[in-house]
Amino acid sequence: FQAEDGIRDCLLSRGLGDVYKRQTPVISESDGFSESEELEIENQDIVSAKIYGHNIFDGNALKEYSSSQDLSPPDSYILAPGDKINVLIFGKSQGDLYFEINKSGYIKPTKMPRIFLSGLTLKQAKEMLISRFSNYYVFNNDQFAVTLNTSRTISVNVFGEVENMGSYTISALNTVLNAVTIAGGPTDFGSVRNIQIIRAGEKRVLDLYNFISNPNLQFDFFLQNNDVIYIPPVKKLVTIEGAVNRPMTYELKENEGINELLDFAGGLMVNAYSGLIQVQSTNNNELVLDDYSLDEIISNKISLVLKNADNILVKSIEDTLKGIVSISGAVFYLSLIHI
């Protein structure tokens, strides 16, 4: 593990000193695996071991939304004072109406009672407005539309393991993930599976790995004024290398093991050797390299508990054939026969 003293001390102080320490596993020639299959990452830069999921906050994967022209809000968007909506009626009655939800949480259409919309989703608001306006206008349900014309502005506070902690004033169209992106994304030690949203003493948790498999999940995490977003330090990082489809470092929850890790890594490659895996871990201040049968772990015949900073190597099947006889001459088929 080669790094400047300051970087090394920082990693060690967080209990992550071995996270990015990669050593080439000891594989003898008798194992039957080619040298190219050995891990050649002993001298890799620390930054190259970025946690899976951190790339979501890089580049243009997520951006800040400033107006409803940038994003069409889903039905789950929650209305609040300051939101401006457009009600369009195009049945026997015609109407193109604009309303702003006032500080008391309602709108007041002309010659109609006040209608409280604050706290409702767009879908719930549309259902209520259809019911109320049908008493004064003539239209079918498919001749009535409600859209968010202008979203309100909110202040959110982002703290913890993010690049730029602080308070941000943004459009309420933004979700938790957009706000974290605006704050520069998580640090190298920031959790992506325990992103906490604290509101009025209550806490919700967003797991980024769930979001990756179901992007619509982010819309369940719209923000409200004065929300606090807290990203705690990561607790359990495990690296998997070798014959898997996405070898890199993953954040695991306390009860997750090899099966979950393989799912996150996209599963085994077709040439993966499931008879043996190597697990490099630290035990009693010593680096230990153990061999296990992957087949028995997957079938739950062996219980393997993964620890923070463990390094998993999945080997590949040897790509050379043994025991081959060549047949040529006056035969129907010229071939190689495996015996």
Side-chain angles (χ1 to χ4, degrees):
F1 181 15
Q2 298 178 350
E4 294 295 328
D5 290 343
I7 298 176
R8 181 178 63 248
D9 293 341
C10 178
L11 292 175
L12 292 173
S13 69
R14 296 173 181 267
L16 295 170
D18 289 318
V19 170
Y20 304 109
K21 178 170 63 176
R22 318 288 184 81
Q23 294 188 0
T24 303
V26 180
I27 304 176
S28 66
E29 293 182 0
S30 60
D31 287 328
F33 297 95
S34 64
E35 292 182 0
S36 62
E37 294 169 352
E38 299 180 7
L39 296 179
E40 297 179 349
I41 52 180
E42 185 174 4
N43 296 318
Q44 278 189 348
D45 188 84
I46 291 174
V47 178
S48 66
K50 203 169 188 179
I51 305 169
Y52 176 65
H54 277 204
N55 60 312
I56 292 292
F57 303 97
D58 295 338
N60 295 317
L62 294 169
K63 64 179 182 179
E64 178 183 1
Y65 296 111
S66 58
S67 69
S68 56
Q69 283 71 40
D70 296 331
L71 172 71
S72 179
D75 287 341
S76 58
Y77 177 85
I78 299 175
L79 295 169
D83 282 331
K84 298 178 182 180
I85 62 172
N86 177 208
V87 175
L88 182 62
I89 303 171
F90 45 94
K92 292 182 179 180
S93 298
Q94 301 289 318
D96 190 359
L97 311 171
Y98 291 87
F99 304 99
E100 179 176 351
I101 302 175
N102 64 22
K103 294 181 179 180
S104 298
Y106 65 83
I107 62 173
K108 180 64 173 66
T110 303
K111 299 180 180 180
M112 289 177 58
R114 63 185 64 174
I115 304 174
F116 285 88
L117 298 178
S118 180
L120 299 182
T121 64
L122 269 179
K123 181 179 180 180
Q124 293 170 333
K126 180 178 179 179
E127 293 171 351
M128 175 176 287
L129 291 171
I130 286 176
S131 174
R132 298 293 181 87
F133 274 83
S134 63
N135 296 323
Y136 298 85
Y137 295 80
V138 180
F139 57 86
N140 297 325
N141 284 359
D142 59 354
Q143 297 172 329
F144 188 95
V146 178
T147 58
L148 182 67
N149 183 262
T150 305
S151 64
R152 65 194 183 277
T153 298
I154 60 174
S155 293
V156 295
N157 306 285
V158 187
F159 296 105
E161 290 293 341
V162 292
E163 294 293 344
N164 302 298
M165 291 187 292
S167 297
Y168 294 86
T169 300
I170 59 177
S171 166
L173 287 171
N174 294 284
T175 67
V176 171
L177 296 181
N178 299 117
V180 174
T181 301
I182 295 167
T187 67
D188 287 342
F189 307 107
S191 172
V192 293
R193 305 196 61 197
N194 188 24
I195 302 174
Q196 301 175 14
I197 305 94
I198 303 170
R199 179 182 303 157
E202 297 183 358
K203 180 175 69 177
R204 296 185 65 193
V205 175
L206 172 60
D207 184 340
L208 186 64
Y209 289 6
N210 290 339
F211 159 75
I212 291 173
S213 61
N214 179 19
N216 285 329
L217 180 66
Q218 68 169 314
F219 297 118
D220 292 335
F221 291 87
F222 274 113
L223 296 168
Q224 294 186 18
N225 196 42
N226 295 323
D227 277 356
V228 174
I229 301 171
Y230 173 67
I231 297 184
V234 67
K235 292 184 178 180
K236 185 176 178 180
L237 290 179
V238 177
T239 299
I240 186 166
E241 302 285 348
V244 293
N245 289 305
R246 189 167 47 240
M248 63 185 307
T249 301
Y250 294 87
E251 179 181 356
L252 297 185
K253 294 183 177 179
E254 197 60 37
N255 60 341
E256 292 177 339
I258 287 289
N259 290 325
E260 290 81 7
L261 181 62
L262 288 175
D263 286 341
F264 297 146
L268 297 171
M269 298 178 67
V270 294
N271 64 334
Y273 177 62
S274 60
L276 181 70
I277 63 168
Q278 291 185 324
V279 180
Q280 176 182 294
S281 59
T282 303
N283 189 15
N284 294 326
N285 297 320
E286 293 183 352
L287 199 62
V288 179
L289 189 65
D290 292 315
D291 294 339
Y292 298 92
S293 168
L294 182 56
D295 288 328
E296 292 185 354
I297 295 174
I298 292 176
S299 62
N300 294 319
K301 293 181 180 179
I302 294 179
S303 177
L304 174 62
V305 178
L306 297 179
K307 299 180 298 183
N308 183 40
D310 279 357
N311 197 317
I312 314 297
L313 171 65
V314 180
K315 300 183 187 179
S316 302
I317 298 173
E318 186 181 2
D319 58 3
T320 58
L321 297 175
K322 296 180 179 180
I324 299 296
V325 175
S326 175
I327 299 178
S328 60
V331 292
F332 284 106
Y333 299 103
L334 301 181
S335 179
L336 294 176
I337 299 178
H338 188 197
I339 60 173

